[in-house]
């Protein structure tokens, strides 16, 4: 007998409409684009209680005597249920919340927003955990019933599994179409965990729903149907976990039996509108409620046919076989055997899993024969072998994907590169697929607009050329047109042929590209580094010991960062190679570890205008290579200290040492800037992380060491035989000696004669500064100090 579909009724004005049941299943809560939240006592309720929560309402959830709403105020507001009285602001975001859900007890709420952030907030004290990693607005979030994991989907095309304890992404699938905003997304990709055990997580993908196994995240089941013609957008497990409902963007709604993978119910929206949300009634009365993009709400009753009910009953009856004392002793023995190594904790013992294994054992004739032959006393031993759980390995941190410095995620409008020479933008929409190239100095070259028919995704720009690369079609191993390609537009060439293209060997895909002076280089997924002359001749080909993360170039310097192993949970383990591609081919750094802040990723890699290697991690820490001090990396700035909000970030586009500043773009509430309107570049200073910066001594120490660190490039230039203005080097030395004289005077005034002597012996490098120190010590009556000089 098919499900009973009630007539839909208007709940809100046209637009996205969200809904939720209360815990009893008696009340239905909705919100919509009119900014109201309404509480319905059944669909026939003609006098629903309405509460205005903003100009637009985006999400609603109810649990534990409260309901939460998300509106255009970019916050989550708590209300008391059912009177709707405000109960405080639970969390704030920098963009509208797109989806949220409570945990089973109603003590926590999980929310994702258009600012790329996911927050898990404790209702009682408003404390929160923030999950960073998505590079586009969040589509949906789902909280594991056991509260160990969360699942999320995003407009960046990925579905991710996060560990709550470590706040890191444990698994990521790149399986969704990419877009800039949720309003342009073809799917909501509403994810659902199996209630109770969280054994499976259901992800709607294209025209099917995929079930992934917990912990291993392997695909274990796929649910589809011949009547599905459009994208499946929503998936929802039934309260018992034995059935799964789904909705397509054409209004088709389906219900599958998880045990048989058969579709047991199909219903089509009466007008074919897109379904916004689909939820089960928690009372377990086989009722589904749904909303559409026209602001209407409806229900489906008796969605599980009667012929499917005995199957569930049979499963329950089979489980009841193990309720007797005779079988309970076997489960107890299994638990004791698993804990026999001295561990008193039985947290890892899954009794439901043991019942299934024992049931299979008892129903298997061979197993029963063996048990009878050996005597029933040997059965607990067999149970022991079955019951011992697999060892739980520490969670592994997902390897950071390769990225191009100065680029933004692959959305319809993006920056392919922004550096000190120019900007390359890509446009990939239904109307056009093109690339715009602009130079900061128009004297270098005029702006260019080219078609992107080769699907190029990587770019670098220099005063000589523009380098473009595309991954091609890695699934097509036979066609040469599908190969990964490198395109160089050598506009500084004196001949008429200013462009050349090179195709990579079959199956080899370019992951990073960069331009030096007179040469270009790429790194492929085979860990091969390929160097070309700027005219297109192939040069050296060598390998790096791990998957590439990023690469950058300056003059004849080539710097490559790659994965050198598995880091501690939450951290990346990165190696860096720095080579001078001059005639001598000098290796400066050979696979040394690249420091990044704990639980962060590398977000920018490059060189200062003077040629010093620089890095930036997602924690906002800028580091530079100190070539005058054994090639160690030193922190020179913390960009997060200049932001006002936790979700604000600075996006670096360039660094100069003289004058000393970092050129970057402020991204409020996100990690990357939008292409339009034109972002404004901000100049931030270098700030060394010295102690007691509020004191005069700390300020002078920072002044000395910053000047010394940022003038190290003069020695580097001299070693290469390059010409430079010696007056600039002299000015840097004078700044350092001035700071030392002030530190010497400060030590004398504080009667710190030994410290004053240290300044003279260890730091002062000019005779003039030494004579000034002696005169000052004599004037301050520190004769022993003056005579020691």
């Amino acid at each position: 007998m098919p499900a009973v579909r009630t007539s839909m009724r208007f709940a809100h004005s046209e637009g996205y409409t969200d809904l939720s049941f209360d815990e009893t299943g008696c009340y239905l809560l909705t919100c919509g684009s009119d900014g109201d939240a309404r509480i319905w006592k059944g669909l026939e309720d003609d006098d629903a209680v309405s509460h205005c929560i903003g100009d637009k309402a985006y999400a609603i959830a109810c649990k534990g005597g409260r309901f939460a709403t998300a509106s255009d105020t970019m916050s989550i507001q708590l209300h008391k249920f059912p009177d709707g009285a405000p109960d405080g602001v639970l969390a704030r975001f920098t963009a509208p919340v797109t989806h949220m859900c409570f945990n089973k007890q109603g003590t926590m709420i999980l929310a994702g927003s258009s600012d790329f952030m996911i927050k898990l907030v404790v209702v009682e004290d408003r404390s929160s955990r923030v999950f960073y990693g998505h590079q586009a607005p969040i589509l949906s979030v789902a909280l594991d019933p056991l509260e160990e994991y969360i699942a999320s989907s995003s407009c960046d095309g990925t579905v991710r599994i996060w560990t709550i304890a470590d706040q890191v992404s444990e698994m990521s699938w790149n399986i969704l179409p990419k877009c800039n905003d949720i309003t342009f997304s073809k799917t909501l990709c509403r994810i659902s965990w199996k209630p109770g055990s969280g054994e499976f997580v259901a992800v709607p993908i294209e025209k099917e729903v995929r079930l992934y196994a917990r912990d291993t995240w392997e695909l274990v089941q796929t649910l589809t149907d011949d009547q599905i013609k459009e994208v499946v957008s929503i998936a929802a497990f039934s309260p018992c976990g034995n059935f799964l409902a789904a909705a397509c963007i054409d209004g088709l709604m389906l219900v599958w039996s998880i045990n048989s993978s058969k579709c047991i119910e199909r219903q089509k929206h009466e007008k074919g509108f897109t379904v916004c949300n689909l939820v089960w009634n928690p009372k377990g009365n086989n009722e589904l409620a749904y909303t559409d993009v026209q602001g209407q709400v409806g229900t489906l009753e008796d969605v599980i046919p009667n012929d499917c009910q005995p199957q569930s009953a049979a499963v329950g009856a089979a489980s009841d076989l193990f309720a007797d004392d005779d079988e309970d002793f076997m489960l107890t023995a299994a638990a004791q055997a698993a804990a026999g190594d001295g561990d008193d904790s039985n947290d890892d013992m899954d009794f439901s899993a043991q019942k299934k294994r024992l049931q299979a054992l008892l129903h298997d004739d061979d197993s029963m024969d063996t048990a009878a032959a050996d005597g029933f006393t040997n059965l607990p031993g067999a149970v022991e072998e079955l019951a011992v759980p697999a060892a739980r390995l520490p969670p592994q941190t997902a390897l950071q994907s390769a990225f191009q410095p100065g680029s933004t995620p692959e959305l319809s409008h993006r920056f392919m590169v922004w550096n000190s020479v120019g900007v390359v933008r890509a446009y990939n929409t239904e109307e056009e697929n093109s690339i715009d190239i602009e130079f900061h100095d128009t004297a270098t070259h005029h702006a260019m607009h080219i078609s992107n028919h080769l699907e190029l995704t990587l770019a670098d720009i220099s005063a000589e050329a523009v380098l473009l690369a595309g991954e091609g079609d890695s699934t097509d191993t036979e066609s040469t047109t599908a190969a990964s390609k490198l395109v160089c537009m050598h506009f500084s060439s004196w001949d008429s042929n200013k462009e050349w293209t090179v195709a990579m060997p079959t199956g080899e895909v370019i992951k990073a590209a960069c331009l030096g002076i007179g040469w270009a280089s790429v790194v492929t997924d085979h860990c091969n580094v390929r160097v070309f002359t700027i005219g297109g001749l192939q040069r050296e080909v060598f390998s790096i010991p791990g998957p590439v993360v990023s690469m950058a170039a300056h003059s004849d310097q080539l710097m490559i960062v790659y994965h050198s192993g598995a880091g501690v949970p939450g951290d990346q383990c990165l190696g860096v190679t720095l080579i001078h591609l001059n005639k001598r081919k000098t290796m400066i750094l050979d696979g040394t570890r690249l420091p990044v802040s704990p639980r962060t990723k590398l977000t920018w890699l490059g060189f200062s205008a003077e040629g010093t290697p620089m890095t930036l991690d997602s924690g906002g820490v800028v580091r530079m290579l100190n070539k005058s001090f054994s090639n160690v990396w030193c922190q020179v700035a913390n960009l997060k200290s200049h932001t006002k909000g936790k979700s604000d970030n600075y996006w670096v586009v360039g660094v100069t040492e003289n004058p000393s500043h970092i050129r970057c773009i402020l991204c409020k509430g996100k990690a990357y800037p939008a292409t339009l309107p034109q972002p404004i570049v901000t100049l931030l200073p270098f700030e060394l992380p010295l102690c007691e910066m509020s004191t005069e001594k700390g300020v002078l120490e920072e002044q000395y060491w910053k000047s010394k660190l940022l003038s190290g490039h003069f020695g580097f230039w001299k070693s290469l035989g390059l010409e430079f203005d010696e007056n600039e080097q002299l000015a840097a030395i004078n700044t350092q000696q001035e700071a030392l004289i002030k530190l010497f005077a400060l030590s004398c005034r504080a009667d710190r004669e030994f410290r004053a002597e240290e300044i003279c012996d260890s730091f002062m490098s000019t005779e003039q500064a030494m004579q000034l120190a002696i005169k000052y010590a004599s004037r301050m009556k520190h004769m022993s100090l003056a005579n020691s000089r």
Side-chain angles (χ1 to χ4, degrees), residues 31 51 139 257 293 367 370 386 419 472 489 522 607 622 682 762:
C31 69
H51 305 281
L139 290 172
S257 169
V293 293
S367 299
T370 303
L386 290 171
N419 60 21
M489 304 172 63
V522 299
F607 292 83
V622 180
T682 304
S762 303

Side-chain angles (χ1 to χ4, degrees), residues 34 134 148 167 209 246 279 287 291 304 374 378 385 546 581 583 596 619 751:
D34 54 10
H134 281 300
E148 294 178 359
Q167 294 175 246
V209 179
V279 296
E287 181 184 24
T291 54
I304 302 177
D374 294 342
N378 290 334
E385 293 182 3
L581 293 177
K583 293 182 179 179
V596 292
D751 292 330

Side-chain angles (χ1 to χ4, degrees), residues 26 56 58 151 222 334 383 431 523 607 642 656 664-665 711:
C26 299
K56 287 186 177 182
Y58 298 106
T222 300
V383 175
E431 292 78 19
V523 181
F607 292 83
H642 297 275
T656 59
C664 48
I665 297 170
S711 61

